[in-house]
Amino acid sequence: MSHDHDHTEPPTEIELRVKALETLLVNKGLVNPDTLNKIIDTYEHKVGPRNGAHVVARAWTDPEFKQALLLDATSAVASLGYTGRQGEHLNVVENTPEVHNLVVCTLCSCYPWTVLGLPPVWYKSAPYRSRAVSNPRSVLEEFGTHIDPAVKIRVWDSTSEMRYLVLPQRPPGTDDWTEEQLQELISRNAMIGVETVKVPGTRPEAD
Amino acid sequence: MQGAHDLGGKHGLGPIDPEPESDEPVFHAEWERKAFALTMAAGMLGEWNIDESRYARERQHPIAYLSQSYYENWVAGVSKLLVEKGLVSAVEMNAVGQSGDHSAAKNLRIPTPEDAEKILTAGGPTLLENNRDPDFAPGDRVRVRKNHTTSHTRAPAYVQGSVGTIMRHYGCHVFPDTHARQQDGGEHLYSVCFSAESLWGSNNDNSEVLIDLWEPYLEAVS
């Protein structure tokens, strides 16, 4: 679904401002237009939540990898080829029957880009950033997620360069699924902690 | 600084109203793509660091910060830094793209697409060597110092004055408070756990908050 501006309408103030800034920086030789396209392409098409789903599915199917991931997530994730900006220092936090983890950045928008890509609009919004720490259950309910009151909600406020990824609980009934099939179940939202991984209705085709 | 960006625990900001994950594009308009890429590319000139970038976005009137969209705040931040660092004059910034003055670019390495790819893949780790022992260890009780500074800090207002427990020592990391003034150097960083009760009083819904806090933010509780 595209939300791009309809070009039959006059441009908005911010569109004009960004265009002017781009023209200015290119004319002054401060940015290379090809570099802009490279940066956009990287985060629009290459780095995204499929990386994180790969990490989670591997952890669900490979106990040694899971152990390494919980001990030193930065190295374990790098072993799958995911390194870079906003993923320099990773901590993977595991959901259990006793604890449900939720990630926020109350001060800005810190988010593990290498495994999830750029954050969604709601993650960067004032309502989420204000309430995730003080009333996390109300936040979860807005995503349709009900966590048993006996389960502790552990909220991680990303105030440093440490980046957090939630390792969701593997849904029951998926014991004989392959890593590739499991990846299809794992949503971005489950790796932020606002959702759980659902018991599937139908199983994806094996490759 | 106690700006509008410091949102933890604030009330009245309305529902989250998330877009369904399957429908949500990475960018919602062409100008957002450009705002993101221009900010990243300008940052790669090396004239400012990530903490200066954050501080530039924070240093806005609260009404502006809260009423602008996320990428509008990025544009405000990068525009401010470009002028403050002397890469663009205030006149050029307001004259919308007329200038072709290359003097600011002369002494800089302008990243090519290949440079950008390398920079994005390598990242910028903040872990530093430090031969000073950490003051705290897991299990220690600590109070977050009150700090009403007007400069950049990563100690959220909602945790200042509260008592928590050290859960983990992450090593010595670049200290944002001084890094935002372009001073290098690191401090020991900890993951500190606070019960909901210690942060919000009687509001206890069986939750806790873990916050990354640097040693200068903390004092021992006996």
Side-chain angles (χ1 to χ4, degrees):
Chain A
M1 186 165 71
S2 172
H3 294 248
D4 278 8
H5 181 71
D6 176 348
H7 290 278
T8 58
E9 292 171 21
T12 61
E13 193 186 326
I14 186 67
E15 284 174 314
L16 291 171
R17 218 168 131 215
V18 172
K19 188 71 212 161
L21 186 62
E22 180 188 2
T23 306
L24 178 64
L25 296 185
V26 170
N27 284 354
K28 286 176 66 62
L30 288 167
V31 303
N32 175 336
D34 294 336
T35 302
L36 297 180
N37 292 330
K38 180 79 188 179
I39 293 167
I40 293 164
D41 182 57
T42 300
Y43 291 100
E44 196 156 35
H45 302 296
K46 300 203 167 85
V47 180
R50 292 304 88 205
N51 295 1
H54 182 200
V55 172
V56 169
R58 175 65 59 88
W60 282 350
T61 52
D62 180 344
E64 264 179 52
F65 178 80
K66 180 180 165 183
Q67 198 181 12
L69 185 69
L70 294 175
L71 206 64
D72 178 0
T74 314
S75 301
V77 168
S79 76
L80 297 184
Y82 309 128
T83 63
R85 191 63 76 86
Q86 294 298 312
E88 290 91 344
H89 305 285
L90 290 172
N91 190 4
V92 169
V93 293
E94 184 184 15
N95 285 349
T96 67
E98 290 79 38
V99 175
H100 179 89
N101 293 282
L102 177 69
V103 180
V104 64
C105 173
T106 62
L107 295 174
C108 51
S109 54
C110 296
Y111 189 75
W113 288 9
T114 50
V115 279
L116 295 184
L118 299 182
V121 169
W122 60 260
Y123 182 88
K124 305 175 288 193
S125 73
Y128 182 75
R129 286 162 52 192
S130 59
R131 204 139 41 79
V133 284
S134 58
N135 200 345
R137 283 178 202 273
S138 80
V139 166
L140 293 173
E141 295 287 349
E142 281 188 53
F143 287 86
T145 303
H146 181 72
I147 303 293
D148 190 287
V151 175
K152 186 184 283 290
I153 308 287
R154 184 172 289 156
V155 184
W156 299 83
D157 189 355
S158 314
T159 48
S160 76
E161 299 307 324
M162 195 63 62
R163 295 287 167 269
Y164 295 91
L165 182 78
V166 175
L167 176 57
Q169 287 187 274
R170 181 171 176 168
T174 59
D175 289 355
D176 59 344
W177 287 40
T178 65
E179 185 183 311
E180 290 70 28
Q181 289 170 327
L182 289 165
Q183 278 188 49
E184 300 299 313
L185 293 179
I186 301 158
S187 68
R188 174 199 68 198
N189 285 2
M191 294 182 280
I192 304 172
V194 292
E195 290 173 7
T196 56
V197 177
K198 306 292 188 304
V199 182
T202 54
R203 179 177 179 166
E205 294 282 319
D207 288 332
Chain B
M1 64 175 287
Q2 307 262 325
H5 69 286
D6 191 354
L7 283 164
K10 294 288 193 297
H11 288 143
L13 291 159
I16 297 163
D17 199 17
E19 275 179 82
E21 179 173 338
S22 54
D23 291 348
E24 183 167 2
V26 175
F27 298 103
H28 290 72
E30 178 59 20
W31 75 264
E32 288 194 352
R33 286 186 187 91
K34 287 293 169 60
F36 172 74
L38 285 166
T39 301
M40 297 290 285
M44 288 176 190
L45 296 171
E47 295 295 289
W48 55 83
N49 63 49
I50 190 167
D51 290 302
E52 291 176 279
S53 281
R54 291 189 181 119
Y55 189 38
R57 288 172 208 144
E58 293 165 6
R59 281 184 286 134
Q60 295 189 75
H61 193 286
I63 291 174
Y65 182 92
L66 287 170
S67 58
Q68 287 164 179
S69 73
Y70 180 74
Y71 284 118
E72 285 177 313
N73 280 327
W74 274 42
V75 172
V78 74
S79 301
K80 190 179 300 183
L81 286 167
L82 285 162
V83 174
E84 286 178 356
K85 299 292 180 180
L87 300 185
V88 170
S89 72
V91 171
E92 287 174 325
M93 190 59 87
N94 295 325
V96 293
Q98 300 302 310
S99 172
D101 177 1
H102 277 240
S103 57
K106 253 195 311 205
N107 300 318
L108 295 171
R109 182 181 165 88
I110 309 304
T112 63
E114 295 72 31
D115 294 333
E117 188 169 18
K118 276 184 208 149
I119 293 167
L120 294 176
T121 307
T126 56
L127 187 65
L128 299 172
E129 291 290 322
N130 188 338
N131 43 27
R132 193 170 48 77
D133 290 336
D135 283 352
F136 305 113
D140 287 356
R141 301 280 287 164
V142 290
R143 178 180 285 106
V144 184
R145 296 173 193 274
K146 291 277 189 183
N147 182 5
H148 200 252
T149 180
T150 55
S151 60
H152 183 66
T153 185
R154 298 290 287 181
Y158 76 88
V159 76
Q160 293 185 22
S162 290
V163 173
T165 305
I166 304 275
M167 303 303 284
R168 191 166 163 186
H169 173 227
Y170 283 134
C172 179
H173 283 257
V174 170
F175 186 45
D177 301 46
T178 46
H179 199 223
R181 299 193 290 272
Q182 286 213 327
Q183 293 165 18
D184 291 332
E187 296 286 352
H188 290 290
L189 177 68
Y190 305 91
S191 174
V192 189
C193 180
F194 299 85
S195 68
E197 203 169 20
S198 72
L199 295 172
W200 319 111
S202 59
N203 169 13
N204 189 347
D205 60 353
N206 193 17
S207 67
E208 59 191 21
V209 184
L210 281 90
I211 311 176
D212 299 341
L213 296 167
W214 281 263
E215 203 164 84
Y217 300 162
L218 306 172
E219 59 189 2
V221 175
S222 51

